[in-house]
Amino acid sequence: WLEGIRVDPAARRQGIGRELTARAMAIARERGAVVARLFTSSDNTASQAMVTGLGFDQVAAFVRYRATAESLPEPETIPPGATLRTASLADLDTLWSYLKGSNLVPLNGGLIVDGWVARALTRSVLETRLDSGDVLALEAWEQIQALAVLRTDVGEDDEEGTSRLVAEYVDGMAEWIGRLARALRGLAARRGLERVVVALPSLLILHDAMDGAGFQRPGSHELWCYARQV
């Protein structure tokens, strides 16, 4: 993961950022890394030009949504015949098969957004998170409709000191993601947390679903993830 490449404004446009990145890639290769990734803002055209010039490809575009925790009656979030439960290790094969066939993976790059870092949601990572009780599954008609990989943290930047339930990875159909998002607000309230934060691919249909669940985007920019083989 390449984090925080910064160049003094007075020294920009001299290839320094490119040289820093190239050296970082060399060190990563020496340490045995096989892939490098980074985030940049959708409005940071200078960084985008630099990394694409170094062979990076954009693999995902994320939007962060947030909402206050709110106790909601279950019928408002979970329709009759559906269930929301914490998945277990017994669900590993089913969930992994679901993710391999997901329509969102080409858009989210198969990446879990861990704070300001994106890493591959591999089978072993999923297994670890299932073992920790961090995966929530929304099911109906004996089929998975949506799922979320969760963690709890304390917010930084404009949310400094705010206790949050963070959905690091969310998958499913847009309608069911909206229902799951509303359920997360209730879950956060029951856990005594203040806010819910969700990272999703940048799609209008998902924006509409999250808007219906009472979530807002803190800004208009997106987080673009770039990657290349080391």
Side-chain angles (χ1 to χ4, degrees):
W1 185 257
L2 298 175
E3 176 72 25
I5 300 169
R6 303 288 186 266
V7 178
D8 188 313
R12 289 176 184 169
R13 303 187 67 83
Q14 299 181 45
I16 295 172
R18 183 184 178 91
E19 181 66 17
L20 286 170
T21 305
R23 294 289 183 92
M25 294 289 287
I27 293 171
R29 194 160 44 245
E30 292 171 2
R31 295 181 179 181
V34 296
V35 62
R37 299 187 185 94
L38 60 91
F39 270 144
T40 190
S41 174
S42 56
D43 59 5
N44 192 341
T45 56
S47 288
Q48 294 159 24
M50 181 189 74
V51 297
T52 54
L54 287 168
F56 283 79
D57 295 316
Q58 184 183 347
V59 295
F62 291 102
V63 174
R64 289 186 188 272
Y65 297 91
R66 64 188 185 192
T68 56
E70 181 181 0
S71 297
L72 299 168
E74 189 168 286
E76 291 189 17
T77 58
I78 310 301
T83 58
L84 181 66
R85 66 181 180 87
T86 300
S88 69
L89 283 172
D91 300 301
L92 176 60
D93 289 340
T94 299
L95 291 177
W96 185 243
S97 295
Y98 176 83
L99 291 172
K100 287 174 67 176
S102 168
N103 292 327
L104 285 188
V105 167
L107 301 170
N108 62 28
L111 300 173
I112 184 169
V113 182
D114 182 6
W116 295 101
V117 176
R119 57 196 177 95
L121 179 55
T122 62
R123 182 184 173 93
S124 62
V125 170
L126 179 62
E127 183 176 13
T128 298
R129 302 305 290 271
L130 284 168
D131 191 42
S132 300
D134 294 333
V135 182
L136 208 60
L138 180 55
E139 299 172 325
W141 308 295
E142 299 182 349
Q143 298 288 331
I144 298 170
Q145 304 299 329
L147 64 86
V149 179
L150 307 173
R151 68 177 169 86
T152 299
D153 76 357
V154 177
E156 300 176 354
D157 302 328
D158 57 340
E159 292 187 328
E160 186 173 357
T162 302
S163 58
R164 313 183 303 178
L165 180 66
V166 180
E168 299 179 321
Y169 185 93
V170 177
D171 211 316
M173 301 297 290
E175 175 186 356
W176 289 92
I177 286 176
R179 288 172 172 167
L180 178 58
R182 285 180 64 84
L184 291 178
R185 297 180 67 191
L187 177 61
R190 291 192 296 275
R191 292 184 178 181
L193 305 174
E194 300 170 80
R195 193 180 296 276
V196 180
V197 178
V198 179
L200 283 170
S202 180
L203 287 175
L204 179 59
I205 191 172
L206 292 178
H207 177 68
D208 291 343
M210 296 301 287
D211 182 63
F215 283 72
Q216 296 181 334
R217 294 175 58 171
S220 60
H221 70 282
E222 301 170 358
L223 277 176
W224 288 3
C225 186
Y226 285 81
R228 60 158 280 189
Q229 296 299 306
V230 173

